[in-house]
Amino acid sequence: MASLILKAPLDGVVVPLEQVPDPVFSQKMVGDGASIDPTSQVLIAPCDGRVTQLHKAHHAVTLTTADGIELMMHIGLDTVNLKGEGFTAKVAEGDQVKTGDPLIEFDADYLATHAKSLLTQMLVTNTERLASLSPASGLVQAGSDDFLTIQTIADTGAEAEAAGRSVSSEAILIPNATGLHARPAAVLANLAKRFSSRILLTRGDDQANAKSVVSIMGLEIAQNDKVVIVATGPDADAAIDSIAPQLAAGLGDEGAVPAPAPATTEPDPANAPAPRPRSDDPNLLLGVAASPGLGVGSVFQLRRDEIDVPETAAGEPRVERRHLEEAVERAKNELESLQTELRAKADPAKAAIFAAHQELLEDPDLIDIAESAIAKGKSAAFAWQRAYSTHAERLSKLKNAIMAGRAADLRDVGRRVLGILTNHPTEEPAIPVGSILIAEELSPSDTAKLDPTQVLGFATVGGGATSHVAILARSLDIPAVAGIEPRALDLANGTQVILDGGKGQLRIDPDPAEVDRILTLKRKLAEKKQADLAAAHEAATTTDGHRVEVVANIGGIDDAKQSVTLGGEGVGLLRSEFLYLERQTAPSEDEQAQIYADIAIALDGRPMILRTLDVGGDKPLPYLPMPREENPFLGIRGVRIGLERPELLRTQVRAILRAAKGHKLRMMFPMIATIDEIRSVKGLVEEERAKLSDAGEVELGIMVEVPSAAVMARQFAREVDFFSIGTNDLTQYTLAMDRGHPKLGAKADAMNPAVLRLIKQTVDGAHTEGKWVGVCGGIASDPQAVAILVGIGVDELSVSVPAIPAVKAEVRTRSLADCQALAKQALSCDTAAEVRALVPTEY
Ligand code: PEP
Ligand code: MG
């Protein structure tokens, strides 16, 4: 530990960084230090050092001390926009300076009239080297008064840095739809940690330690931000060669955001988070819809005990450090077993949340800060608690709702380690059956443990719709409201409430008639579910004997097994992406052939349609770097990838052909738009078949999800054995509405008559050529759509696994003649709402 005193760089009044009216500084995104409201006009060196960066607008300069501490001085706010006007640099990059040497002279009158503020910041940017920092207060005089006193910790990266040179990547545009949020930040940190060089992620003036998740997230990098990776050290070249392409390809991020939160760093008035809602009705509390559904139950306030920790260490710092290391290790093991358990339950989404927690525990900033406090005689528990709380606090203040939401993850994992350190295991409260939980905040670990038979819903004061807690609630099918008015915490245990997760409301002491209505509805729903389940293994036949096949959309072997249990008659869509995502290399032919055969065995003789890889510009694969596209949904995706980079598709085709030996497999190609495409693919299949001695028989089909395929259905039908209509994409391409768009997504309804007419055109074209048609888009799982699709003439409905019993039951409720009459009416409607009104639903 060393001490460094930095002299005032200007005459003026010291202002705490937190009071600077610019979040980049006040939230310490660039570094930690203090600000000064200047009365002089020459910025001087606060210590000896080398000028390592002079901004071309001459408003900011960075000095690096002999010990590697980086000090950035930034004159005024928004002064970069002055493009050098009003500033005169007195030094150049590479100059060696002594305390008191002039660095930049500026024209205070010009700045006062042309910039937002004259406040000048002095920041330590490599905060991982900071053990503590104390700014002066009041009036200071340049060069003579102390301004910042800092304690620094040894630089482990310095050796590496000294032993190598500095290499920068080319500028990279960030492709991730939600920017570098927790998951890609974790992937980046993990990649960077493989190298001994110091690695920085830079965006303009801002920079972050690329080995630190928190530091990366602190930059709030948004989609299309331009960044550069800078590596300094012995393996700098290798680091850039490895990291830059993966960063450009999206770090394996699918870009899928489950909820409509803005990801931009600039406030977008259209997307800006709404102010916390408040209700004037004393019996109605408002929040944000986090997980849909209605829960009627009694309040149970879930309070987590504060863990008391001694500030001063009982033992030597060495011993405390070991305690911390052991606790972190144990927490990682716990998280590892939690993930194994969740993967075994086929819940990879939840497992990924805890993988991100594990990554947070690898964060060097977090550990460094805790260890520096331990070195000063603090107990491991105290040092750890302060380190993670400070980081979480910093995250929670970020503008980007998604990143701010990750503060809960950090607190969760922090508390897990603290519980281990203090022998204070997170004991489970006895939650009464029929509870609606109210809590200040629920951690992802708390949520994953909730038992939906006991807990009928929950409301938290913190959190938002994009938090991991909300995602978990949706996957558990528990209604939830986030950001509820804090007075919810004052409700007495046992108070009757109705929680409406869809509207984001909590009704206190509701009208008994309303409670009755909801309970009756829920009871009817439960009874219907039971009845559908009881008949799940019977055929789906209309009252006049027309048989419709009801099969499943699956994403792996567990879905396949469950579909059989729920009466699925086969698989209408295996989304083979599951084999390709979340890994660093493509699956081999043998691995694929084995998995496809295993799934077919789980289906016990039932047929399966295997869709070839459907990824693209919107879902990049780390091992398949593709150029960034302006319009990924209109770019190289689906079968186009297979044709452009045929090695992947050829391997998959061989694997399917081999697995088809002895199993009923069909092969289907996504996103077919032209006849040339299907002919090319068929040629490719024949070439691969000719290479194999053990190929089975497979029928070939296409997804109809581009309007051109529907319009030309008859011609396509002559090329293939079957069609499956992907209404999710067909709707987005027909209506030109992005299916994941926060505002348009809900309007992109496949019940729109335009889409129904294309479905009819597809069915007619196929039937004329003697081919059959399935629907595998989401609409097939919607009970309101079933009779219309059957009436149009669809032969097979491929639905989400849980929907199988209800869809089969729906088919049984009408005659084919009724369905046909209904379809006729639907096709002549003007709007999706009119179509839906033809099939009213009680539920
Ligand atoms: C569809 O587009 O309807 C479909 C089933 O494919 P995916 O949802 O996988 O794009
Ligand atoms: Mg699709």
Side-chain angles (χ1 to χ4, degrees):
M1 183 101 59
S3 189
L4 178 63
I5 295 178
L6 301 164
K7 296 293 180 190
L10 289 159
D11 296 341
V13 181
V14 181
V15 175
L17 212 49
E18 290 75 11
Q19 290 174 18
V20 175
D22 181 338
V24 169
F25 298 116
S26 62
Q27 293 180 10
K28 304 190 179 171
M29 291 178 196
V30 183
D32 206 351
S35 182
I36 184 164
D37 201 356
T39 51
S40 63
Q41 306 195 33
V42 180
L43 182 83
I44 61 166
C47 61
D48 297 357
R50 195 162 57 88
V51 179
T52 44
Q53 203 201 21
L54 176 67
H55 197 283
K56 58 180 185 305
H58 291 176
H59 68 297
V61 59
T62 302
L63 292 190
T64 304
T65 68
D67 187 28
I69 301 299
E70 290 158 9
L71 280 177
M72 186 202 204
M73 281 150 284
H74 188 285
I75 303 171
L77 299 180
D78 289 352
T79 36
V80 65
N81 301 331
L82 302 181
K83 301 201 169 78
E85 200 63 47
F87 296 101
T88 313
K90 298 290 182 190
V91 285
E93 272 181 12
D95 284 357
Q96 202 65 46
V97 292
K98 293 249 165 252
T99 314
D101 284 354
L103 300 173
I104 299 172
E105 190 173 346
F106 56 94
D107 179 344
D109 289 341
Y110 182 82
L111 261 57
T113 49
H114 290 80
K116 184 168 150 192
S117 161
L118 271 173
L119 279 176
T120 295
Q121 291 60 243
M122 183 154 88
L123 311 165
V124 176
T125 53
N126 47 348
T127 46
E128 73 276 11
R129 298 282 313 276
L130 268 187
S132 70
L133 176 146
S134 23
S137 57
L139 260 180
V140 285
Q141 202 174 6
S144 50
D145 288 336
D146 296 351
F147 182 66
L148 284 179
T149 308
I150 59 176
Q151 301 285 335
T152 61
I153 43 183
D155 182 14
T156 47
E159 261 173 46
E161 198 167 8
R165 59 201 192 87
S166 219
V167 184
S168 301
S169 71
E170 299 199 334
I172 297 167
L173 279 184
I174 294 296
N176 307 55
T178 49
L180 294 190
H181 62 88
R183 211 201 57 76
V187 175
L188 175 57
N190 228 356
L191 282 173
K193 279 187 230 156
R194 293 187 196 153
F195 300 92
S196 61
S197 294
R198 183 191 291 276
I199 302 177
L200 295 177
L201 174 70
T202 67
R203 180 191 53 200
D205 275 351
D206 307 338
Q207 52 178 234
N209 175 359
K211 296 182 181 177
S212 156
V213 181
V214 173
S215 181
I216 297 168
M217 291 203 288
L219 282 188
E220 292 194 88
I221 302 258
Q223 189 176 32
N224 292 330
D225 275 3
K226 200 192 282 176
V227 301
V228 172
I229 294 277
V230 183
T232 311
D235 51 5
D237 285 296
I240 298 295
D241 286 350
S242 156
I243 298 171
Q246 302 201 48
L247 187 59
L251 299 162
D253 198 352
E254 277 183 64
V257 197
T264 52
T265 50
E266 293 307 318
D268 169 358
N271 281 338
R276 183 190 279 276
R278 268 180 200 288
S279 138
D280 296 331
D281 178 345
N283 282 330
L284 184 70
L285 304 187
L286 302 181
V288 178
S291 173
L294 286 168
V296 180
S298 321
V299 164
F300 181 79
Q301 298 280 358
L302 189 69
R303 302 267 190 267
R304 284 262 170 249
D305 299 342
E306 279 303 312
I307 302 181
D308 279 334
V309 293
E311 180 169 345
T312 314
E316 297 268 296
R318 183 174 47 84
V319 179
E320 295 294 310
R321 203 172 305 119
R322 210 188 55 240
H323 281 332
L324 178 60
E325 279 164 14
E326 283 169 1
V328 168
E329 239 4 81
R330 259 185 62 196
K332 283 187 198 159
N333 290 342
E334 281 183 20
L335 290 165
E336 191 68 53
S337 4
L338 203 54
Q339 286 170 65
T340 316
E341 214 176 283
L342 290 165
R343 287 209 188 91
K345 285 192 208 151
D347 215 337
K350 269 191 238 165
I353 292 174
F354 293 106
H357 280 198
Q358 221 172 348
E359 192 54 46
L360 285 170
L361 285 182
E362 307 275 349
D363 194 295
D365 272 6
L366 203 58
I367 306 285
D368 273 1
I369 292 175
E371 288 192 346
S372 68
I374 290 176
K376 280 194 289 193
K378 305 291 180 203
S379 73
F382 180 86
W384 173 253
Q385 190 181 39
R386 200 165 61 177
Y388 80 76
S389 312
T390 316
H391 263 17
E393 192 62 26
R394 218 199 272 186
L395 275 180
S396 68
K397 294 205 174 102
L398 296 180
K399 277 182 290 176
N400 183 314
I402 295 174
M403 293 188 191
R406 297 297 97 94
D409 290 293
L410 188 52
R411 289 199 185 100
D412 187 8
V413 77
R415 206 185 151 94
R416 182 182 291 277
V417 173
L418 194 63
I420 296 170
L421 266 174
T422 53
N423 239 339
H424 196 289
T426 22
E427 76 290 351
E428 299 313 317
I431 301 173
V433 174
S435 292
I436 303 283
L437 293 190
I438 312 273
E440 179 77 44
E441 190 144 31
L442 272 183
S443 70
S445 306
D446 289 332
T447 318
K449 277 186 256 157
L450 292 183
D451 175 354
T453 58
Q454 279 178 332
V455 176
L456 304 177
F458 66 80
T460 58
V461 174
T466 52
S467 64
H468 277 151
V469 173
I471 296 169
L472 286 170
R474 290 195 284 268
S475 82
L476 286 166
D477 206 11
I478 297 180
V481 174
I484 193 89
E485 295 176 53
R487 58 194 172 104
L489 295 171
D490 305 330
L491 296 175
N493 277 350
T495 310
Q496 267 270 304
V497 287
I498 299 176
L499 182 90
D500 187 335
K503 289 198 184 132
Q505 296 181 348
L506 184 74
R507 161 80 51 200
I508 307 164
D509 292 329
D511 177 3
E514 178 64 1
V515 171
D516 264 3
R517 195 187 64 80
I518 291 174
L519 289 177
T520 309
L521 192 64
K522 283 178 82 97
R523 202 186 53 247
K524 277 199 202 166
L525 255 174
E527 282 167 7
K528 178 175 181 324
K529 205 167 163 184
Q530 273 314 109
D532 293 350
L533 208 53
H537 291 276
E538 290 163 26
T541 310
T542 58
T543 52
D544 49 357
H546 173 71
R547 171 91 191 256
V548 178
E549 275 195 37
V550 179
V551 290
N553 289 351
I554 66 167
I557 192 158
D558 295 307
D559 286 349
K561 290 179 184 158
Q562 213 202 341
S563 77
V564 171
T565 322
L566 292 177
E569 296 168 302
V571 164
L573 172 64
L574 169 68
R575 288 185 165 103
S576 63
E577 296 78 79
F578 79 97
L579 263 170
Y580 290 81
L581 300 171
E582 310 273 338
R583 54 190 291 164
Q584 295 308 313
T585 53
S588 70
E589 182 183 323
D590 284 348
E591 179 185 349
Q592 291 187 58
Q594 184 64 53
I595 291 176
Y596 300 149
D598 286 347
I599 299 179
I601 291 168
L603 291 173
D604 201 13
R606 294 170 181 81
M608 165 156 75
I609 300 179
L610 227 147
R611 178 176 74 184
T612 59
L613 183 61
D614 184 15
V615 292
D618 60 325
K619 298 186 222 165
L621 295 177
Y623 45 87
L624 188 71
M626 299 290 288
R628 233 185 71 74
E629 298 181 298
E630 278 301 313
N631 280 309
F633 278 114
L634 303 181
I636 310 291
R637 63 169 299 212
V639 77
R640 296 171 192 173
I641 284 216
L643 292 171
E644 169 125 341
R645 309 285 290 264
E647 62 288 1
L648 266 189
L649 181 59
R650 286 185 183 274
T651 308
Q652 186 173 28
V653 164
R654 285 196 303 276
I656 297 172
L657 290 170
R658 282 173 48 198
K661 189 98 186 159
H663 300 295
K664 274 192 223 156
L665 294 194
R666 295 177 178 135
M667 200 178 325
M668 173 160 78
F669 303 98
M671 290 290 301
I672 295 279
T674 67
I675 294 282
D676 289 341
E677 283 169 351
I678 183 60
R679 288 187 182 151
S680 303
V681 180
K682 279 165 62 186
L684 183 151
V685 173
E686 281 324 303
E687 282 167 22
E688 295 310 315
R689 182 193 296 282
K691 292 180 195 159
L692 296 172
S693 55
D694 53 349
E697 278 308 308
V698 287
E699 289 182 359
L700 300 185
I702 58 164
M703 302 264 308
V704 175
E705 45 189 352
V706 181
S708 60
V711 171
M712 297 276 284
R714 185 142 181 213
Q715 284 82 347
F716 277 102
R718 293 184 193 128
E719 302 285 337
V720 295
D721 300 305
F722 66 92
F723 291 158
S724 185
I725 308 179
T727 47
N728 307 336
D729 276 314
L730 184 61
T731 307
Q732 82 164 343
Y733 292 129
T734 304
L735 301 178
M737 290 180 184
D738 180 347
R739 62 197 256 189
H741 193 286
K743 289 189 181 147
L744 300 173
K747 290 188 195 158
D749 186 348
M751 292 280 251
N752 187 298
V755 181
L756 295 180
R757 285 176 187 222
L758 285 175
I759 296 176
K760 166 111 173 67
Q761 224 169 326
T762 308
V763 169
D764 291 348
H767 286 179
T768 314
E769 295 296 328
K771 307 290 162 68
W772 60 268
V773 182
V775 171
C776 62
I779 198 70
S781 309
D782 181 343
Q784 263 191 304
V786 168
I788 294 174
L789 294 175
V790 171
I792 289 176
V794 169
D795 306 287
E796 177 224 54
L797 297 171
S798 190
V799 307
S800 69
V801 175
I804 296 170
V807 169
K808 284 180 115 178
E810 196 60 35
V811 173
R812 296 184 203 113
T813 57
R814 296 178 196 248
S815 66
L816 179 61
D818 275 355
C819 293
Q820 286 166 337
L822 193 62
K824 201 165 164 212
Q825 274 181 290
L827 288 163
S828 61
C829 282
D830 292 339
T831 64
E834 279 177 35
V835 175
R836 288 196 176 274
L838 296 174
V839 198
T841 166
E842 200 188 339
Y843 306 107

